Amino acid sequence: MLVKNTDAYFDYLTGLYNRLYLFENFSENINEFIVVFLDIDDFKYINDTYGYEIGDEFLKKFVRRLSKIVGNRGKVFSYNADKFLVLFPKENFKDIYEKVELLFQKLKEIIIVGDIEIACSISIGIYITEKDDKIDDAIKKAEIAMQEAKQKVKGQYVFYKHQIEKEKMRKANILTELKKSILRNELYILYQPILSVKGNKIQEVEALLRWNNEKLGEVSPVEFIPIAEETGFIREMGFWVIEEVCRQIKEWEKKNLDLKVAINISPNQFKDKMFFENYKYIVKNNNVKFSKIKFEITETQIFKTEEKTVENLLEIMKLGTKISLDDFGAGYSSMKNMILIPCSEIKIDKIFIDYITKDTKIQNLIASIIHTAHRLGYDVIAEGVEYKEQYDKLLEYDCEKIQGYFISRPIGEKDIIKFIKRRSS
C-alpha cells in the first residue's frame, strides 16, 4: 500500500499512511480490528553503522516487504520512524496466529541495500481489541505487548494480556516511589549473622537492603533492585547503604560490639567511575576502619567490568576491605575465577547447599571447592544453610563460615545485639 504523496496523511519516506490518518479514519471502528505493533530491533545501530542514507533505503525495502506480506488482508501504517502498525480485520480472527507467524518469519530475512546485507530482527506486539476500546488504548496495549517481547529476548512476538499491563503499572509505581525512598527514610537494612565456626562466634553480618513504602507496603528486593539498576538509582541507593553501614558500625562500637559488615555491590556501581573514590571518602569521613567492611561481588559481574575496576578492587583490598566472590559456582569457569579475580573469600551458592545431603557428586564438588579455596588462601562461606544436616556436612568439609536460616534470619540492628548476647550466654 505504498503511496507517493506529500499530503499530511502520508509518511514522506515510506509513502505509508501515517498516524494522523490512522486516528482520523479508524477511531470509530478500531474494535473491528486486531492491532499488530511492529518495531525494528536496533535500527539505530543500522543508522550508526551504515549512515542515514542506507538506513532510509533499508526502511523503504522493509516497508515494501511488509506491505507485500500483508497484501489486501490488512492495512499497514507508519507509526513512528522504525515502528509500524498493521490492522487485521477481526473476521479473520482464526488466522491471526498464522498471519503473525508469517510476518515474523518473512520480515526476519536479510535485506540487501546496495552491496550491503543487513540482518533484520523485529519485535511484535498483538492486541485483539474489545468492544469499547478507544484507538489510543488499543495501540498502547499492542505497544505494551511489543515492549514485553523486546524485554524477553529481541526478535519475538507477544500477545497482549492484562497481566502484562498490570506488571508495567506496578513497575512504574515502584520507580516513582523508589526515587522518593531516601528522602522519606523508607529504606532500611536488616543484618544476617554469619557464624565463624572456629570459636562458634558471630564476627560478621551481611547487610540486606529493604524498603517499606507508604503506598506499596513492603516491596521485595527482587522487585526494586532490578528497577534501581535499570534506572541508575542504584548509585544513590548504594552510597546510602555504605553511609548507613558505617553509621551502624560506629553505633555497635559504642556498645563494645566488634562486627564486620558485608555489603552487596552491583554491576552498575562498578561502572560509576567515582564509586571507589566516594567509597573511600564515606568510610574515612565516618572514621570507620576499611577492614570493618567487605564487598560481595558476583562472578558474572566481575567479567563485565573494565580493567580499571580490577585495579580499583586491588587498591580497595590494600586498604583492608575484603572482597567476597558471591554466588560462587553459579557462574562460568568458577575454579578459574578463583585465580583470576582479586578476592579474599568465596561464598558457595545456595543451589549447592540445597543438595549437600542428597547428592554425592555435589558433596564431592563442595569438598573440592573448599579444599582448593583454602590452598589458595581464601576463606569460605556457605550461604543458605537451613538444616543441621547441611551444617554438619559443611563442618566435615572444614567450611569455616556458615550463613543461613539455621543460624539466623536477617534481623534488625537492635536484635543483632540481643542475638549475640543470647549465643554467648
Side-chain angles (χ1 to χ4, degrees):
M1 172 166 166
L2 292 168
V3 182
K4 292 182 180 179
N5 199 311
T6 57
D7 189 271
Y9 285 139
F10 295 92
D11 175 62
Y12 81 96
L13 179 66
T14 63
L16 288 173
Y17 282 121
N18 61 18
R19 186 161 46 178
L20 178 63
Y21 181 88
L22 171 66
F23 274 76
E24 287 193 10
N25 291 273
F26 290 87
S27 291
E28 299 299 321
N29 63 337
I30 192 64
N31 58 1
E32 296 174 9
F33 296 92
I34 296 165
V35 182
V36 179
F37 197 112
L38 300 95
D39 183 27
I40 300 173
D41 296 326
D42 301 318
F43 179 68
K44 183 178 181 298
Y45 173 80
I46 296 173
N47 275 336
D48 291 347
T49 304
Y50 303 109
Y52 288 98
E53 189 175 338
I54 296 295
D56 286 350
E57 285 303 312
F58 172 87
L59 276 181
K60 290 176 185 177
K61 291 200 170 192
F62 176 87
V63 165
R64 289 192 196 105
R65 182 181 291 177
L66 173 60
S67 299
K68 185 178 179 181
I69 297 166
V70 173
N72 58 9
R73 293 173 295 181
K75 303 178 187 298
V76 182
F77 303 87
S78 172
Y79 193 71
N80 181 18
D82 58 342
K83 296 175 174 62
F84 304 90
L85 282 176
V86 180
L87 299 186
F88 286 115
K90 267 190 180 175
E91 61 248 30
N92 300 325
F93 173 75
K94 291 181 181 179
D95 302 329
I96 187 60
Y97 288 91
E98 183 182 329
K99 287 175 181 174
V100 170
E101 184 63 32
L102 180 65
L103 274 177
F104 186 67
Q105 295 302 331
K106 290 289 185 183
L107 291 174
K108 284 199 304 183
E109 294 175 3
I110 287 174
I111 291 177
I112 300 173
V113 181
D115 58 352
I116 302 170
E117 293 186 351
I118 303 175
C120 185
S121 170
I122 57 167
S123 296
I124 301 176
I126 307 106
Y127 175 60
I128 301 169
T129 57
E130 298 175 355
K131 184 179 178 183
D132 297 321
D133 276 332
K134 293 182 178 178
I135 189 168
D136 48 354
D137 289 333
I139 293 171
K140 177 188 171 187
K141 288 173 179 177
E143 186 174 13
I144 286 172
M146 181 276 294
Q147 289 168 349
E148 180 73 7
K150 266 191 185 300
Q151 196 170 351
K152 286 183 174 179
V153 180
K154 289 179 181 178
Q156 301 286 325
Y157 62 86
V158 168
F159 281 80
Y160 173 85
K161 295 177 183 176
H162 289 288
Q163 183 61 26
I164 296 175
E165 187 170 15
K166 189 178 177 183
E167 289 170 1
K168 290 280 181 187
M169 287 302 298
R170 169 78 175 171
K171 184 176 178 180
N173 289 334
I174 287 175
L175 176 57
T176 300
E177 295 299 313
L178 191 58
K179 288 182 176 179
K180 308 170 192 171
S181 61
I182 294 177
L183 290 174
R184 290 176 174 173
N185 294 316
E186 293 178 342
L187 297 176
Y188 65 100
I189 297 175
L190 294 180
Y191 297 90
Q192 187 167 33
I194 298 170
L195 176 70
S196 294
V197 173
K198 187 178 180 180
N200 195 33
K201 293 179 180 179
I202 303 297
Q203 296 177 316
E204 57 188 287
V205 294
E206 180 180 358
L208 298 167
L209 185 61
R210 298 292 185 262
W211 176 35
N212 193 320
N213 176 257
E214 60 180 17
K215 292 182 180 178
L216 303 171
E218 195 73 32
V219 184
S220 167
V222 175
E223 274 195 289
F224 75 80
I225 294 293
I227 293 172
E229 292 269 12
E230 188 180 320
T231 58
F233 188 65
I234 193 71
R235 178 181 180 277
E236 190 175 346
M237 217 159 58
F239 288 133
W240 180 89
V241 169
I242 294 170
E243 190 82 51
E244 181 62 19
V245 163
C246 287
R247 182 199 67 78
Q248 188 54 56
I249 287 171
K250 298 303 290 182
E251 284 297 313
W252 283 331
E253 285 178 350
K254 290 176 186 176
K255 296 171 183 176
N256 297 317
L257 192 59
D258 185 18
L259 286 176
K260 294 179 182 178
V261 182
I263 300 173
N264 290 281
I265 303 298
S266 81
N268 279 341
Q269 285 172 282
F270 275 132
K271 292 174 186 175
D272 178 4
K273 293 179 181 178
M274 292 304 296
F275 171 75
F276 293 99
E277 290 302 317
N278 287 338
Y279 165 67
K280 287 187 282 186
Y281 172 79
I282 292 170
V283 175
K284 287 179 180 178
N285 192 52
N286 281 278
N287 197 28
V288 170
K289 293 178 181 178
F290 284 100
S291 58
K292 287 291 189 77
I293 296 174
K294 177 170 67 178
F295 286 164
E296 292 197 359
I297 304 163
T298 62
E299 288 182 85
T300 47
Q301 76 189 56
I302 281 283
F303 278 106
K304 294 177 183 175
T305 60
E306 300 173 358
E307 187 177 335
K308 179 65 178 173
T309 303
V310 175
E311 291 174 12
N312 285 331
L313 283 177
L314 289 168
E315 183 187 342
I316 291 292
M317 288 175 70
K318 286 178 184 176
L319 290 171
T321 295
K322 288 191 172 184
I323 306 297
S324 181
L325 201 54
D326 198 10
D327 299 335
F328 187 82
Y332 298 103
S333 307
S334 292
M335 288 295 191
K336 180 181 172 184
N337 294 346
M338 276 201 277
I339 300 169
L340 297 179
I341 298 173
C343 64
S344 328
E345 173 184 88
I346 66 163
K347 197 169 190 180
I348 301 175
D349 191 77
K350 183 181 184 299
I351 191 170
F352 294 111
I353 307 304
D354 288 343
Y355 292 93
I356 194 171
T357 60
K358 305 170 186 175
D359 190 318
T360 54
K361 290 181 181 178
I362 294 292
Q363 291 170 2
N364 292 333
L365 182 59
I366 291 173
S368 175
I369 289 171
I370 294 172
H371 175 74
T372 304
H374 287 164
R375 290 289 297 270
L376 293 171
Y378 302 148
D379 292 339
V380 180
I381 295 182
E383 65 176 333
V385 180
E386 298 181 355
Y387 307 107
K388 187 176 186 302
E389 293 80 8
Q390 296 171 334
Y391 174 80
D392 290 340
K393 273 288 178 190
L394 288 161
L395 294 192
E396 184 183 324
Y397 302 145
D398 294 325
C399 181
E400 62 264 44
K401 295 179 184 179
I402 308 292
Q403 181 181 357
Y405 285 7
F406 178 70
I407 305 302
S408 171
R409 290 174 176 270
I411 53 181
E413 56 192 63
K414 294 177 182 177
D415 292 324
I416 284 287
I417 299 172
K418 295 176 186 175
F419 176 79
I420 291 174
K421 282 183 178 178
R422 278 201 310 271
R423 282 194 65 88
S424 59
S425 61

